[in-house]
Amino acid sequence: QAQLVQSGGGLVQTGGSLRLSCTASGRSRVTYFTGWFRQAPGKEREFVATTSFSGEKTQYADSVKGRFTISKDNAKNTVYLQMNSLTPEDTAVYYCASGPGGPNYISPSRLQYNTWGRGAQVTVSS
């Protein structure tokens, strides 16, 4: 059974940086796309970024464009989310997720993802 193990997160001051990691194991499908979502208290889970299996296609939420970067290392089955210039509005639990798809498929819709990590808390202090 596929699993996603997250690491990273924590507490950082405004303007700081953090990197989240998401490592997959137990996959039976060869290609898949991966995304990051976040959920702040009292709010719905929202899309942050996604990358295709090939890494050639990516998409970001407008709120994080130019500040966050999604990348991947297929040899390590790991996807990263580098978060720079963090603000208190970025405070949330961050989830990685993956779904079946072709090598260049991506999706901002959480309904397309069938495997989720447990989440990692990111707190940005003002």
Side-chain angles (χ1 to χ4, degrees):
Q1 186 173 352
Q3 286 188 318
L4 299 177
V5 177
Q6 296 184 223
S7 61
L11 175 64
V12 66
Q13 291 185 331
T14 295
S17 298
L18 284 173
R19 188 177 80 160
L20 303 179
S21 299
C22 174
T23 300
S25 63
R27 293 185 191 278
S28 58
R29 186 185 175 95
V30 176
T31 60
Y32 48 90
F33 57 99
T34 305
W36 288 95
F37 293 79
R38 66 186 181 185
Q39 188 165 17
K43 295 187 177 181
E44 290 191 357
R45 192 170 300 187
E46 65 175 4
F47 166 74
V48 176
T50 182
T51 181
S52 62
F53 177 78
S54 68
E56 294 179 2
K57 293 191 69 175
T58 59
Q59 183 178 348
Y60 297 90
D62 289 343
S63 59
V64 307
K65 276 182 184 176
R67 301 187 300 122
F68 290 14
T69 302
I70 188 170
S71 62
K72 67 201 312 278
D73 184 340
N74 282 345
K76 296 182 179 180
N77 290 327
T78 299
V79 174
Y80 305 96
L81 184 68
Q82 177 66 43
M83 305 183 291
N84 298 329
S85 302
L86 287 162
T87 74
E89 289 68 37
D90 295 314
T91 295
V93 177
Y94 284 71
Y95 298 89
C96 70
S98 69
N104 291 313
Y105 185 80
I106 57 172
S107 175
S109 171
R110 61 184 181 181
L111 298 179
Q112 299 281 318
Y113 295 80
N114 62 5
T115 303
W116 290 81
R118 292 189 173 184
Q121 178 68 47
V122 171
T123 303
V124 185
S125 63
S126 57

